Amino acid sequence: MKTRLLTERDIDAAATILRRGGLLGIPTETVYGLGADGLNPEAVRRIFEAKGRPQDNPLILHIPEASWLERYCRDVPAAAYTLAERFWPGPLTMILHRRENVPDEVTCGLGTVGMRCPNHPVTLAIIRAAEAPVAAPSGNRSGRPSPTCAAHMMEDMNGRIDAIVDGGSCGVGVESTIIDLTVPMPRLLRPGGLSLEALRAVLGEVAVDGAVLAPMAAGERPRAPGMKYRHYAPKAPVTVVTGQAVGTARYIREKMGEHTGVICFDEYAGWFPGCIVESIGSAGAPEEQARRVFDALRAFDSTDAAEIFAQCPGDAGLGLAVANRLKKAAGFHTVDLGEGEL
Ligand code: TXA
Ligand code: MG
């Protein structure tokens, strides 16, 4: 199969691919997605094949507005509409009780389904034109960093899917925040492009699932099945160093050798001579770090980096999502220097 590259003007061609059960790369504000008609079980099955995705990892449905929630979800709590009004279209996925019309292929048999309204005009137009909710995981091959531009998605998916719509670079750069609204206390399952602080400002208390901060114990059942897999990983092993920025930079300087890759904040880009350095933004700018972190992880695969160290931001704002992606890329292999270390 030859994978076509479509432009923002090809809305009808893109919608036709979806209606015919094909696979389509779609731009969103977070990362590129690998979309199919979410009501077509056969098409949804092909997503898993193209990605090499484990069969027990459910997909989320993309809709153009909150009024579509009722079509695919039941017992939708008022909080869902409050959040939709405040944050949709935007980087927030809500886990809700599903209706029977949502295929088991999407939910992997769960009684719940993730719902998201992406903030990208082209993709919203494609979904409306296809007149179907679009099931879409991130557009990387399973285990790889998520793609934040059409070229990165082409790297992973060329020959495996019908087309990719080039909608430019993703403005957020990490996937959506996932919140479970089917439990008594709303629960953060994946930190992402919408901060925990923003959710708490609207909902009051929000619990944070254990899988966000630490690896799953053997045999433990994650609430977001995707959280149990090593993810986003470059080929070389990654070590994440947490603590104050200057302390983590010093630590990495002590460890660095000839084929060392370093993910660092802009202020420290000159600290690692001879290393392969990817800076991801200023230490105090987690939104910029979010935009650049997947590209940095991806970049090492075309180098001879044999090991990679990463400076890790704190948990405030989008820092929680950046830290989570780095730690997952590292398989949670983390060195914690503590807050006071300088
Ligand atoms: O920003 C995003 O969310 C991107 C773009 C393309 O929209 N999509 C994305 O999809 O990141 P994916 O499949 O890579 O990640 C979705 C996560 C997975 O970890 C999955 O296990 C979890 O959502 N998930 C899906 N349905 C769920 C459910 N019913 N209950 C709990 N977790 C669920
Ligand atoms: Mg993904």
Side-chain angles (χ1 to χ4, degrees):
M1 174 190 299
K2 187 169 166 4
T3 300
R4 292 160 65 201
L5 194 60
L6 301 180
T7 75
E8 304 190 342
R9 289 184 302 280
D10 297 320
I11 307 272
D12 289 340
T16 302
I17 289 172
L18 292 175
R19 274 199 303 266
R20 291 187 180 153
L23 297 183
L24 181 72
I26 50 171
T28 83
E29 80 283 27
T30 57
V31 301
Y32 273 69
L34 173 48
D37 177 348
L39 300 182
N40 178 338
E42 195 52 49
V44 172
R45 264 198 290 274
R46 275 189 219 116
I47 294 179
F48 287 82
E49 281 166 28
K51 262 187 84 94
R53 183 175 176 105
Q55 295 291 336
D56 64 348
N57 193 1
L59 306 178
I60 60 180
L61 288 182
H62 295 68
I63 55 175
E65 55 184 73
S67 70
W68 285 35
L69 281 176
E70 283 295 328
R71 301 184 189 182
Y72 314 113
C73 306
R74 61 178 170 75
D75 307 329
V76 179
Y81 290 104
T82 309
L83 289 173
E85 193 158 311
R86 181 75 182 73
F87 299 119
W88 275 6
L92 174 67
T93 297
M94 300 188 243
I95 305 297
L96 297 164
H97 294 290
R98 66 144 163 165
R99 286 192 193 279
E100 293 304 312
N101 59 350
V102 178
D104 279 339
E105 282 76 3
V106 170
T107 66
C108 298
L110 295 177
T112 57
V113 61
M115 301 298 296
R116 158 156 152 76
C117 176
N119 189 14
H120 197 294
V122 176
T123 288
L124 290 174
I126 293 169
I127 300 171
R128 284 185 204 280
E131 296 177 325
V134 171
S138 49
N140 50 289
R141 294 217 61 205
S142 216
R144 298 256 299 148
S146 301
T148 56
C149 62
H152 287 172
M153 183 156 178
M154 197 58 100
E155 251 172 48
D156 279 20
M157 290 297 164
N158 195 6
R160 300 179 157 266
I161 65 176
D162 294 281
I164 298 173
V165 181
D166 189 346
S169 288
C170 300
V172 174
V174 292
E175 302 91 337
S176 60
T177 298
I178 303 181
I179 189 161
D180 186 351
L181 295 179
T182 66
V183 285
M185 160 95 67
R187 177 180 279 266
L188 180 80
L189 300 186
R190 176 175 76 181
L194 181 69
S195 73
L196 178 60
E197 292 91 330
L199 285 172
R200 285 189 168 146
V202 172
L203 294 176
E205 255 185 299
V206 174
V208 176
D209 199 69
V212 170
L213 303 167
M216 309 294 313
E220 202 177 337
R221 244 184 97 107
R223 287 173 205 252
M227 294 299 273
K228 72 172 176 249
Y229 296 105
R230 179 156 184 250
H231 225 132
Y232 315 126
K235 287 168 192 143
V238 180
T239 302
V240 170
V241 191
T242 64
Q244 296 210 358
V246 75
T248 59
R250 280 193 190 135
Y251 177 90
I252 296 169
R253 268 176 75 92
E254 279 165 23
K255 301 283 172 191
M256 69 189 182
E258 220 172 273
H259 300 288
T260 303
V262 181
I263 293 178
C264 67
F265 304 128
D266 289 354
E267 292 84 345
Y268 302 92
W271 280 43
F272 313 103
C275 296
I276 304 143
V277 177
E278 288 287 331
S279 68
I280 57 170
S282 175
E287 294 189 0
E288 184 175 9
Q289 296 161 21
R291 253 192 312 277
R292 292 165 61 181
V293 67
F294 282 137
D295 295 7
L297 285 167
R298 197 169 267 269
F300 290 110
D301 283 351
S302 53
T303 72
D304 62 356
E307 55 171 357
I308 299 166
F309 289 94
Q311 285 190 286
C312 188
D315 288 344
L318 292 206
L320 187 64
V322 175
N324 171 268
R325 301 309 186 271
L326 287 172
K327 287 175 187 170
K328 291 199 69 166
F332 283 93
H333 183 244
T334 305
V335 174
D336 182 11
L337 300 180
E339 273 309 298
E341 194 100 7
L342 278 181

